[in-house]
Amino acid sequence: MVCVVGAPNFAAALMVAYKRPPLRCILQPKKHLAFSPRMMNLQSNASDEVEGSPWDHKGLLQSKELYQYVLETSVYPREPAPLKEIRAITENHPDFYMGATPDSGQLIAMLLNLMNAKNTIELGVFTGYSLLLTALTIPDDGKILAIDPDRQSYEMGLPVIEKAGVEHKIDFKSSPALPVLDKLLEDKKNKGSFDFAFVDADKTSYGIYHERLMQLVKVGGLIVYDNTLWYATLVMPEESVDELMRPDRSFLLEFNKFLAADTRIQISQVTVGDGMTICRRLF
Ligand code: SAH
Ligand code: CA
């Protein structure tokens, strides 16, 4: 079965996956949440919250209070207003749960600043949280090649990007990522031309993106893969994971091993958001 990220039944599959053992299924009425789901981009239309699901507002952490603490103490006070606006808009999207979380965004901005990134590429834009974050962080003459076949979701966040005055840094391509990467590689001068890549598109293609990005990103540059811990399903027995989530789960189990063994890169698996793997090209 092919798993299409963003398909309406994918959200249902997540709910089902988290209702099964071994993760305990503890239904908690929303009114018992200690903070407003509207502050997050993880709000659900469902009447119940399921512990361990993307709707329970704690990411991969063990308690939602701790996640709330991190967000309220260190993230929200420094989150630029346009990013808050994109999160608010994304709450109305049927696939709201796909939006990047603000704690992940804060780390990405730190990485971009540390390396003085100027020329970046993003695979998987959705409503544009990570894209706008990048655009706000890189210098005024910086560039982001942003690729996603879903122009409609990009256009939901576009007015905020325009209002923030950073649209001139963005080259949005409404296309699957692979043909664009292959086209870039036809021209030798694109090789090693990117400082930073953020990969948040279809998970089962991460391996083929990796080989292309290893050529397009400069030596010393970063490739960051999002969702590498896949809603914690990597450590659940396969039979307890909904069939819709299994292809990505199986792929990521192999991909994480592959990255760990890839001597061309230095890696760091971080547990913010849904897990991100930071890869630095060594040669
Ligand atoms: N980075 C985004 C979240 C991306 S969600 C944020 O900050 O909110 C995943 C996105 O990957 C979806 O918008 C989906 O349309 C896109 N996607 C799916 N298949 C793709 C492909 N083959 N190439 C590029 N993008 C793809
Ligand atoms: Ca993601």
Side-chain angles (χ1 to χ4, degrees), residues 98 200 203 226-227:
M98 297 206 304
D200 198 9
K203 312 308 162 196
D226 197 34
N227 301 96

Side-chain angles (χ1 to χ4, degrees), residues 98-100 122 124-126 129-130 147-150 175-177 198 200-202 209:
M98 297 206 304
E122 175 167 303
V125 171
F126 190 45
Y129 189 92
S130 52
I147 313 163
D148 196 312
D150 178 9
S175 163
F198 183 60
D200 198 9
D202 48 329
Y209 298 151

Side-chain angles (χ1 to χ4, degrees), residues 1-5 10 13-14 17-18 20-23 202-206 226-258 274:
M1 178 180 289
V2 177
C3 176
V4 182
V5 174
F10 184 74
L14 278 172
Y18 282 96
R20 291 181 183 175
L23 279 193
D202 48 329
K203 312 308 162 196
T204 50
S205 300
Y206 278 14
D226 197 34
N227 301 96
T228 52
L229 297 176
W230 203 232
Y231 303 99
T233 61
L234 301 196
V235 293
M236 296 163 74
E238 190 181 28
E239 62 276 14
S240 71
V241 177
D242 188 273
E243 275 182 23
L244 276 170
M245 297 188 72
R246 287 184 198 175
D248 290 348
R249 174 188 175 277
S250 304
F251 175 79
L252 287 166
L253 283 169
E254 291 309 310
F255 185 64
N256 287 340
K257 278 195 276 189
F258 168 80
D274 187 32

Side-chain angles (χ1 to χ4, degrees), residues 66-112:
L66 185 57
Y67 191 38
Q68 178 191 2
Y69 171 82
V70 171
L71 291 172
E72 290 186 350
T73 308
S74 310
V75 181
Y76 291 143
R78 287 172 168 264
E79 187 185 35
L83 292 178
K84 291 187 197 296
E85 222 178 307
I86 291 248
R87 274 198 295 119
I89 288 169
T90 304
E91 282 182 9
N92 301 316
H93 194 292
D95 295 330
F96 62 90
Y97 58 87
M98 297 206 304
T101 59
D103 51 327
S104 310
Q106 200 173 53
L107 176 59
I108 295 167
M110 173 75 85
L111 295 172
L112 290 166

Side-chain angles (χ1 to χ4, degrees), residues 187-242:
D187 188 344
K188 274 209 302 265
K189 69 174 188 307
N190 289 324
K191 293 194 176 176
S193 67
F194 292 94
D195 305 309
F196 182 92
F198 183 60
V199 185
D200 198 9
D202 48 329
K203 312 308 162 196
T204 50
S205 300
Y206 278 14
I208 51 175
Y209 298 151
H210 186 65
E211 291 315 312
R212 270 86 179 166
L213 291 170
M214 282 296 290
Q215 298 176 64
L216 291 167
V217 169
K218 70 181 184 187
V219 172
L222 297 186
I223 308 170
V224 175
Y225 293 100
D226 197 34
N227 301 96
T228 52
L229 297 176
W230 203 232
Y231 303 99
T233 61
L234 301 196
V235 293
M236 296 163 74
E238 190 181 28
E239 62 276 14
S240 71
V241 177
D242 188 273

